[in-house]
Amino acid sequence: MTRPIDGAALLDDVEAFHRRFNVFPTEAAYVAVALWDAHAHLLDCFDSTPRLAFLSPEPGSGKSRALEIVETLVPRPMVAVNASAAALFRSVSGPDGRPTILFDEIDTIFGPKAGDNEELRGFINAGHRRKGVTYRCVGDSQTVTPFPSFAGVAVAGLGSLPDTILTRSVIIRMRRRARNEHVEPFRAGLHEPEGNALRDRLAQWAEAARGFVMGAWPEMPEGVTDRPADVWEPLLAVADVVGGDWPERARQACVTLVKASQANDKGSIGIRLLTDLRDHVLIGVDRLPTVAILDRLNALDDAPWADLGGRPLDNRRLSKMLGEYMTADNEPIASRNIRTSGGVLKGFYADDLTDAWARYCPPPPRP
């Protein structure tokens, strides 16, 4: 009789394997990546799968190495460098089983010089949910045919990702190793078999754990809701099943990485505008003329307003951007007359913005 596999001890081993070759920025990152490796073996148990994103501002930060280690641990890895959307959806729906797709140098696909990759972006977006499909025209008659897109996806690249992918990802912000940080050199011929042995143990454990994971609704940490909850639900379900200290560590990691992603996420340019108006412009006043608002916005350090496509934010664009949001009375935010000592000027009232601030902006900074 085969002895049951201790899931907590197995995840300890997976984490230790990563620690031999990867320097992640936080303890939370090791926990999250080990859970993601395990969840890839249980994809059929979940309604959604988070993307795993290793991102950094500069080369030489260990992103590709992290992806290489993940490759040894997940089922049916498919390294997709410059792969087309057509190749990917045919692989996902192919007879050999669903692959785990690994994108290195994702910035060449979604970066500023990458050109139009909407079809590939659409595939990655659709594939995070079980019901996600990609539609293609097939055959001489060009019949519209749905192809499944649901697959685990891990990426590595410079810079950032489109918001639609970033918000569906567990984000690991990689950085170059410091002089006092050391890792074991990774030799594929020597170390891949070790990773593959762990992969086989994960697959064996997953078969036994499938019934416990299916339909699980893990308790979320306080404050983790909506899309972050969707991202972390499969990982917390895995942690709860393996037991040991993993349920507690997983929730600590969840809170840490969700807060980090929110701190790094400036949101859309519209949300950035609303937030800057609240935190830096309309402070201590209930109204302000447009000319004064523009002066204050364009003078802000580390803000985009002084250079939007080579020109500073102007009255017309400010009105257009704010007009996309609504007041508490469900009317578009618009400039109104403000009486000043010099006459009547157009400007904006804080009361018109309070509802949009509450709905879209992150919490204000503490004094």
Side-chain angles (χ1 to χ4, degrees):
M1 180 177 179
T2 304
R3 292 180 57 186
I5 294 177
D6 184 336
L10 174 56
L11 275 193
D12 289 343
D13 291 343
V14 171
E15 179 184 355
F17 190 66
H18 275 290
R19 287 181 181 274
R20 287 172 59 187
F21 308 106
N22 303 137
V23 175
F24 292 153
T26 62
E27 289 296 305
Y30 290 103
V31 174
V33 175
L35 290 169
W36 194 90
D37 295 335
H39 112 285
H41 291 265
L42 290 162
L43 220 58
D44 288 334
C45 297
F46 303 118
D47 291 327
S48 64
T49 171
R51 277 62 183 106
L52 179 62
F54 298 104
L55 305 175
S56 77
E58 298 290 341
S61 301
K63 303 178 300 298
S64 297
R65 177 69 75 234
L67 211 59
E68 281 184 286
I69 304 306
V70 168
E71 182 184 353
T72 69
L73 296 164
V74 296
R76 294 175 293 281
M78 176 183 176
V79 179
V81 177
N82 295 327
S84 67
L88 292 176
F89 73 69
R90 291 188 185 279
S91 297
V92 170
S93 58
D96 297 330
R98 181 188 296 114
T100 304
I101 299 171
L102 309 175
F103 277 103
D104 200 1
E105 299 181 356
I106 194 73
D107 47 289
T108 64
I109 297 173
F110 294 124
K113 299 180 180 180
D116 186 8
N117 278 293
E118 286 301 321
E119 190 175 33
L120 191 54
R121 186 180 306 188
F123 169 85
I124 297 177
N125 284 340
H128 86 286
R129 286 202 173 277
R130 173 182 298 281
K131 296 179 181 180
V133 295
T134 301
Y135 291 95
R136 304 289 292 185
C137 294
V138 177
D140 294 337
S141 61
Q142 293 292 283
T143 303
V144 177
T145 305
F147 288 86
S149 301
F150 185 55
V153 176
V155 304
L158 296 173
S160 191
L161 294 170
D163 288 344
T164 51
I165 297 174
L166 205 62
T167 56
R168 295 182 172 102
S169 301
V170 174
I171 305 164
I172 311 298
R173 301 281 180 183
M174 301 292 286
R175 56 193 183 186
R176 286 184 180 174
R177 280 189 288 120
R179 290 182 176 84
N180 63 341
E181 294 175 326
H182 304 284
V183 292
E184 185 177 338
F186 180 74
R187 299 290 180 264
L190 180 63
H191 298 121
E192 274 186 8
E194 294 182 38
N196 293 162
L198 285 171
R199 177 198 62 199
D200 294 343
R201 290 171 59 196
L202 282 169
Q204 184 180 348
W205 166 82
E207 284 301 315
R210 195 173 300 277
F212 299 98
V213 176
M214 187 79 71
W217 294 96
E219 182 179 352
M220 287 291 152
E222 185 177 355
V224 178
T225 60
D226 300 326
R227 190 162 286 180
D230 291 340
V231 166
W232 276 87
E233 184 179 289
L235 307 189
L236 296 183
V238 169
D240 287 347
V241 170
V242 301
D245 62 354
W246 280 92
E248 180 180 356
R249 294 184 71 205
R251 284 165 176 81
Q252 291 173 349
C254 172
V255 171
T256 298
L257 294 178
V258 168
K259 285 184 177 179
S261 67
Q262 292 171 342
N264 283 288
D265 180 17
K266 304 301 183 184
S268 71
I269 193 70
I271 292 176
R272 177 66 187 268
L273 174 60
L274 289 171
T275 305
D276 282 351
L277 287 172
R278 183 195 65 186
D279 295 345
H280 302 294
V281 177
L282 289 165
I283 300 176
V285 296
D286 64 349
R287 70 198 73 178
L288 205 61
T290 300
V291 63
I293 290 175
L294 291 171
D295 284 345
R296 295 187 183 189
L297 285 172
N298 289 326
L300 287 176
D301 293 332
D302 300 323
W305 313 119
D307 184 10
L308 288 173
R311 295 185 300 175
L313 181 66
D314 58 22
N315 177 22
R316 184 176 181 180
R317 187 162 185 182
L318 175 67
S319 297
K320 182 178 180 181
M321 291 176 68
L322 289 179
E324 296 179 0
Y325 299 93
M326 312 298 282
T327 68
D329 296 327
N330 207 35
E331 296 288 337
I333 295 172
S335 62
R336 294 195 277 151
N337 289 336
I338 296 177
R339 293 190 178 277
T340 70
S341 58
V344 178
L345 299 175
K346 287 291 186 180
F348 291 88
Y349 284 70
D351 282 348
D352 292 342
L353 293 160
T354 51
D355 189 69
W357 286 338
R359 293 178 186 274
Y360 295 102
C361 297
R366 294 181 179 179

